[in-house]
Amino acid sequence: MTTIPPGSTIGILGGGQLGRMIAIAAAQLGYRTHIFAPEESGPAADVSPRWTRGAYEDAGALAAFADSVDVVTYEFENIDPSAVETLAHHGLVRPGAHALRVAQDRLAEKRFVCDLGGLTAPFLPVDSLDALETAVEAIGSRAILKTNRMGYDGKGQARLSEPGDAVGAWNAIGRQSAILEGFVTFEEEFSVILARGADGEVRFWDSPANVHVDGILSTSTVPAGPVIAAQVDEARALARKAADALDYVGVLTCEFFASADGPVFNEMAPRVHNSGHWTVEGAVTSQFENHVRAICGLPLGDTSLAAPRIDMRNLIGDQASEWPAILADPANHLHLYGKHEARPGRKMGHVTRLSL
């Protein structure tokens, strides 16, 4: 097992808020970070000493980047896996390209989970309006049409409630390759967040109860209530199967619906995740620190709760301007991402509250 010692440099693909928080955790452990992203700057620029602006399709720039770091990771999954494969020819990349290929293709992801014995919403591939209308007949008119690739925080999705919605939904997603998912009746949403080391060791954090508003995560709360608690073990077993099947190294997140039939898998993120931001103050070891530990081949840290109750709330758009009131409560921990423009639907920061 390759160990990357403190003092080494971690390369991060993507310079958003997740890259920023990975870089902060890396610095605490004595690592330097180097960002590679197509943008000129971003939230991670404030905390990472090096930033290379380059296209993910630029093999030469990627090779030079790989040669300048000791291990590479990524902060989001909307990267062409060929970029990760290019990097892997020049150095160590964790997680690998296989996890990326599965997670960014919704159809492949659903089939992958079904092959592992997991329960998903009913789904069918859609590549034309005719195919969508056929899928609606098979699955039912209460469904969600999602682009097969890309899309997050509710983007690239259209809801259907009756057969006549098919044309509008198809146009809304740009008439591109998609997947139709039947509605799932559920009581609550939750996520399973795990860290898997290079040696195969797995640690789980408590599963938070997640509430979404307009397709964007609004709050995460731990410990979750009895409905979620009754389904966590089964969900964890599936998440661990997925991590092992992918030979995964790093933090992996799987989102679930708590239903009458048990945990229904929704989607997977091969990275640190918004629903795990509470772990910075709310767990003995945060998801960001354990991600750094995992990709560098270090022992994983304790994932136990650091307080009896933790609430995390995203600050969307102008909500970030509430910082004076947030800081007036000493139980709050404020994280602002350094973004210069607040826009509707844009994650500007989050606040975590620890309580007895």
Side-chain angles (χ1 to χ4, degrees):
M1 183 179 73
T2 302
T3 299
I4 310 298
S8 303
T9 300
I10 299 171
I12 304 173
L13 297 181
Q17 64 261 25
L18 298 180
R20 177 190 182 100
M21 288 182 271
I22 292 171
I24 291 171
Q28 290 175 332
L29 290 174
Y31 292 93
R32 300 176 179 88
T33 51
H34 183 172
I35 307 297
F36 185 100
E39 300 83 16
E40 184 176 354
S41 185
D46 294 339
V47 298
S48 181
R50 297 190 64 188
W51 181 294
T52 292
R53 184 181 186 183
Y56 295 128
E57 300 78 25
D58 188 336
L62 288 170
F65 174 67
D67 291 340
S68 72
V69 302
D70 298 288
V71 62
V72 175
T73 191
Y74 41 88
E75 65 140 19
F76 73 127
E77 60 269 37
N78 289 335
I79 300 171
D80 190 331
S82 63
V84 175
E85 291 168 347
T86 297
L87 289 165
H89 287 305
H90 296 270
L92 185 62
V93 183
R94 290 171 169 168
H98 183 36
L100 201 60
R101 287 190 182 281
V102 171
Q104 68 181 208
D105 184 310
R106 286 193 169 99
L107 183 59
E109 181 183 61
K110 287 285 195 297
R111 288 171 172 167
F112 171 74
V113 168
C114 288
D115 288 344
L116 293 176
L119 178 64
T120 71
F123 66 92
L124 283 172
V126 171
D127 58 9
S128 68
L129 179 57
D130 287 345
L132 173 56
E133 290 173 341
T134 300
V136 169
E137 290 178 5
I139 289 177
S141 56
R142 293 189 70 247
I144 304 177
L145 183 66
K146 301 179 179 180
T147 55
N148 197 41
R149 301 176 65 83
M150 310 296 279
Y152 59 93
D153 288 344
K155 299 179 178 69
Q157 301 183 15
R159 290 176 178 264
L160 294 83
S161 57
E162 55 186 49
D165 292 340
V167 174
W170 181 241
N171 290 333
I173 67 161
R175 305 178 186 181
Q176 56 184 303
S177 176
I179 181 173
L180 184 72
E181 297 181 8
F183 263 45
V184 174
T185 300
F186 63 92
E187 295 186 58
E188 295 187 79
E189 296 179 75
F190 68 99
S191 49
V192 170
I193 309 168
L194 65 83
R196 186 177 187 272
D199 60 356
E201 179 189 6
V202 172
R203 297 278 180 95
F204 293 95
W205 284 271
D206 279 46
S207 284
N210 299 324
V211 175
H212 291 79
V213 176
D214 297 328
I216 301 174
L217 181 67
S218 178
T219 63
S220 293
T221 303
V222 289
V227 172
I228 292 173
Q231 301 192 11
V232 163
D233 286 348
E234 186 177 348
R236 283 183 174 184
L238 177 62
R240 182 163 193 157
K241 281 184 183 179
D244 289 341
L246 296 169
D247 194 20
Y248 197 88
V249 178
V251 169
L252 174 69
T253 307
C254 295
E255 297 182 67
F256 291 89
F257 300 117
S259 79
D261 298 320
V264 178
F265 174 87
N266 182 30
E267 61 184 18
M268 174 175 69
R271 54 171 170 80
V272 291
H273 194 261
N274 194 177
S275 67
H277 286 359
W278 63 268
T279 63
V280 176
E281 292 86 19
V284 176
T285 309
S286 76
Q287 63 167 343
F288 302 102
E289 180 177 333
N290 260 346
H291 185 73
V292 172
R293 287 179 179 234
I295 66 173
C296 291
L298 308 181
L300 298 179
D302 186 355
T303 55
S304 300
L305 295 183
R309 178 186 170 95
I310 303 103
D311 296 273
M312 188 283 296
R313 177 171 66 95
N314 271 329
L315 300 175
I316 309 296
D318 290 337
Q319 291 176 356
S321 64
E322 299 169 9
W323 60 265
I326 292 170
L327 290 176
D329 184 340
N332 285 336
H333 296 269
L334 177 64
H335 296 257
L336 295 178
Y337 304 149
K339 296 179 180 179
H340 302 300
E341 181 184 0
R343 297 193 299 266
R346 192 181 197 195
K347 295 174 182 174
M348 301 298 294
H350 70 270
V351 57
T352 302
R353 192 176 196 282
L354 278 60
S355 53
L356 297 177

